[in-house]
């Protein structure tokens, strides 16, 4: 419903999508929000400016990362979407899946990367895809290798593998504007891609939501009592593949 979409947009913009950076006309643009991206309002600041920090206040019923991860996974189903699915042929002979929401004559593309063992059908991806599509963007959810469909090679993905994203974006030249958005591990991939391509990056904006910058800390967190539950969940899916 429009009210639910508005509530989700407000919640996400205020709590999660805080940092993005890109280069346009030689100016560094950073520390904006997804709300600014969607409304086409960007804040320009110099590289010497002090970033603005907005302290995050978690809700009482979800005071830590574990509850904030588990609760929406169990109780938020997300909107029903009918993706148009495309098999992306990769240069090394492997394949992965692209899940599209698109309309005729759209000139804006949002590319979404899920987190560890995520895919287009998980609730948080469907929420974001629906929101962006409602704002006039074509949406492409790029599944990680082996997650959306079986891949051909004995290959997988990791937090620094940006080649598949680069291949996909290189074929989307007809769009006037391109936004990249990654969640968790997908956020790491997005940030690495933007940093490695520099001024040549084929994106007008990039957003990373809750990326695990320090992978060693994330690994140790998965070895704790509560983190072990998530670890077993991830390992179950990884072993099954």
């Amino acid at each position: 419903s429009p009210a639910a979409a508005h509530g989700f947009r407000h919640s996400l913009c205020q709590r999660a999508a805080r940092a993005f950076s890109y280069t346009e006309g030689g100016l560094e643009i950073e520390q904006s929000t997804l709300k600014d991206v969607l409304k086409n309002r960007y804040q320009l600041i110099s590289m010497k400016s002090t970033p603005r920090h907005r302290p995050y206040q978690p809700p009482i019923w979800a005071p830590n990362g574990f509850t904030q991860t588990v609760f929406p996974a169990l109780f938020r189903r997300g909107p029903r979407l009918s993706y148009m699915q495309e098999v992306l042929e990769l240069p090394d002979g492997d394949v992965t899946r692209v899940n599209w929401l698109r309309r005729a004559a759209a000139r804006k593309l949002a590319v979404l990367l899920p987190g560890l063992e995520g895919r287009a059908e998980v609730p948080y991806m469907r929420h974001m895809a629906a929101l962006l599509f409602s704002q006039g963007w074509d949406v492409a959810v790029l599944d990680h290798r082996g997650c959306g469909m079986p891949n051909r090679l004995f290959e997988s993905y990791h937090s620094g593998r940006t080649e598949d994203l680069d291949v996909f974006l290189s074929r989307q030249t007809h769009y006037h504007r391109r936004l990249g958005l990654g969640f968790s591990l997908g956020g790491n991939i997005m940030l690495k891609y933007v940093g490695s391509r520099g001024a040549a990056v084929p994106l007008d904006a990039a957003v990373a939501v809750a990326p695990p910058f320090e992978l060693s800390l994330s690994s140790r967190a998965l070895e704790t009592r509560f983190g072990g539950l998530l670890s077993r969940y991830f390992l179950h899916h990884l072993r099954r593949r």
Side-chain angles (χ1 to χ4, degrees):
S1 68
H6 174 77
F8 175 72
R9 183 186 306 116
H10 176 79
S11 175
L12 179 66
C13 293
Q14 293 299 319
R15 300 181 187 181
R18 304 207 183 271
F20 88 97
S21 62
Y22 67 101
T23 303
E24 181 178 311
L27 296 175
E28 186 74 6
I29 303 173
E30 57 183 19
Q31 294 300 318
S32 187
T33 65
L34 182 58
K35 185 176 182 180
D36 297 324
V37 177
L38 297 178
K39 290 189 175 181
N40 307 326
R41 295 201 301 265
Y42 305 122
Q43 179 184 5
L44 307 184
I45 65 172
S46 70
M47 295 181 67
K48 295 182 180 179
S49 299
T50 302
R52 295 178 301 165
H53 296 282
R54 302 176 183 177
Y56 170 65
Q57 297 295 329
I60 296 176
W61 51 268
N64 54 53
F66 178 79
T67 54
Q68 292 169 26
T69 298
V70 172
F71 182 86
L74 294 177
F75 300 106
R76 297 193 68 182
R77 300 304 180 189
R80 293 185 178 182
L81 301 176
S82 297
Y83 290 112
M84 294 180 289
Q85 295 179 337
E86 172 191 351
V87 176
L88 179 65
E89 295 281 347
L90 301 168
D92 61 1
D94 209 351
V95 294
T96 192
R97 190 179 71 174
V98 185
N99 307 271
W100 287 94
L101 295 176
R102 50 187 170 188
R103 54 173 56 86
R107 308 306 291 170
K108 303 186 297 182
L109 171 66
V111 183
L112 276 57
L113 299 181
L116 180 64
E117 288 302 283
R119 58 192 186 282
E121 292 83 5
V122 298
Y124 67 90
M125 297 303 293
R126 285 187 279 128
H127 275 295
M128 181 53 66
L131 170 62
L132 288 163
F133 190 64
S134 73
Q135 297 288 327
W137 297 77
D138 274 5
V139 178
V141 181
L142 181 61
D143 288 334
H144 301 304
R145 293 196 193 199
C147 288
M149 62 177 290
N151 53 330
R152 296 173 183 157
L153 303 181
F154 192 64
E155 293 278 346
S156 188
Y157 62 97
H158 54 77
S159 63
R161 186 164 198 165
T162 61
E163 297 89 348
D164 298 352
L165 175 61
D166 190 49
V167 169
F168 173 75
L169 285 172
S170 69
R171 301 175 185 177
Q172 312 305 318
T173 56
H174 59 288
Y175 288 99
H176 291 171
R177 297 175 59 199
R178 288 171 292 272
L179 162 69
L181 173 59
F183 288 83
S184 192
L185 182 138
N188 276 51
I189 296 173
M190 187 64 67
L191 292 175
K192 181 178 183 295
Y193 179 68
V194 172
S196 62
R197 291 298 301 272
V201 67
L203 292 170
D204 298 292
V207 180
V209 179
F213 291 111
E214 294 287 344
L215 293 177
S216 59
L217 295 179
S218 298
S219 179
R220 288 198 291 272
L222 289 174
E223 297 173 357
T224 63
R225 178 182 176 184
F226 291 119
L229 298 175
L230 296 177
S231 181
R232 286 192 289 274
Y233 170 82
F234 289 133
L235 287 174
H236 169 74
H237 287 275
L238 288 166
R239 288 167 178 162
R240 188 172 60 180
R241 289 199 296 107

